[in-house]
């Protein structure tokens, strides 16, 4: 296990992070250039070596509550990679993940049609010109449509 000092030395390799002391001798490190309200990359690094890195919903990590991964037992290379991934995550606009605007037609057994349309950062479901539902991700919208008995394309 890396010590508090070793972890701080690694964190300080990232000059874009700003150190902020919090309660009980813990420190946070923030990425002030974040494109989101969230700026904390390192959360509650404690002198006992415990702490967290914010990785959001990146699929390569098993983040716990609030997108945080515990760094108590990580290696130096793992910590560097997590920090780099966190900064990249906070520096990338969500919609850049999609090369083109998405528009899909979904149909149910009764031949009712809904349109799933990506608009800015939202995934909206329309019945004709009327907004039916709105979601923050494609997966949430897709799950809703499947639960409601709709399938992509024609039946």
């Amino acid at each position: 296990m890396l010590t508090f000092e070793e972890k701080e030395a690694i964190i300080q390799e990232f000059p874009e992070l700003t150190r902020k002391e919090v309660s009980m001798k813990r420190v946070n490190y923030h990425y002030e250039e974040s494109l989101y309200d969230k700026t904390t990359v390192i959360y509650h690094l404690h002198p006992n070596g415990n702490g967290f890195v914010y990785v959001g919903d990146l699929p390569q990590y098993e983040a716990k509550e609030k997108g945080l991964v515990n760094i108590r037992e990580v290696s130096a290379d793992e910590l560097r990679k997590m920090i780099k991934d966190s900064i990249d995550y906070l520096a990338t606009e969500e919609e850049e993940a999609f090369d083109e605007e998405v528009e899909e037609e979904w149909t149910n057994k009764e031949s009712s049609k809904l349109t799933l349309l990506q608009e800015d950062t939202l995934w909206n479901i329309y019945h004709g010109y009327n907004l039916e539902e709105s979601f923050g991700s494609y997966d949430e919208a897709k799950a809703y449509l499947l639960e409601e008995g709709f399938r992509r394309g024609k039946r």
Side-chain angles (χ1 to χ4, degrees), residues 41 53-55 58 82-90:
V41 173
V53 172
Y54 176 75
V55 294
L58 291 171
M82 273 188 217
I83 294 169
K84 182 185 179 320
D85 290 345
S86 178
I87 292 169
D88 290 347
Y89 182 79
L90 293 172

Side-chain angles (χ1 to χ4, degrees), residues 107-122:
T107 309
N108 67 7
K109 291 179 182 176
E110 292 80 35
S111 299
S112 295
K113 294 180 185 177
L114 296 177
T115 302
L116 174 59
L117 183 62
Q118 177 199 1
E119 297 178 299
D120 295 320
T121 60
L122 294 176

Side-chain angles (χ1 to χ4, degrees), residues 104 106 108 112-117 119 122-136 140-150:
E104 298 176 348
W106 290 68
N108 67 7
S112 295
K113 294 180 185 177
L114 296 177
T115 302
L116 174 59
L117 183 62
E119 297 178 299
L122 294 176
W123 294 87
N124 296 321
I125 298 173
Y126 289 93
H127 181 255
Y129 292 107
N130 297 319
L131 179 63
E132 178 90 13
E133 290 286 340
S134 189
F135 297 91
E140 291 172 359
K142 179 180 172 184
Y144 169 82
L145 287 163
L146 292 172
E147 285 174 20
E148 294 297 317
F150 285 82

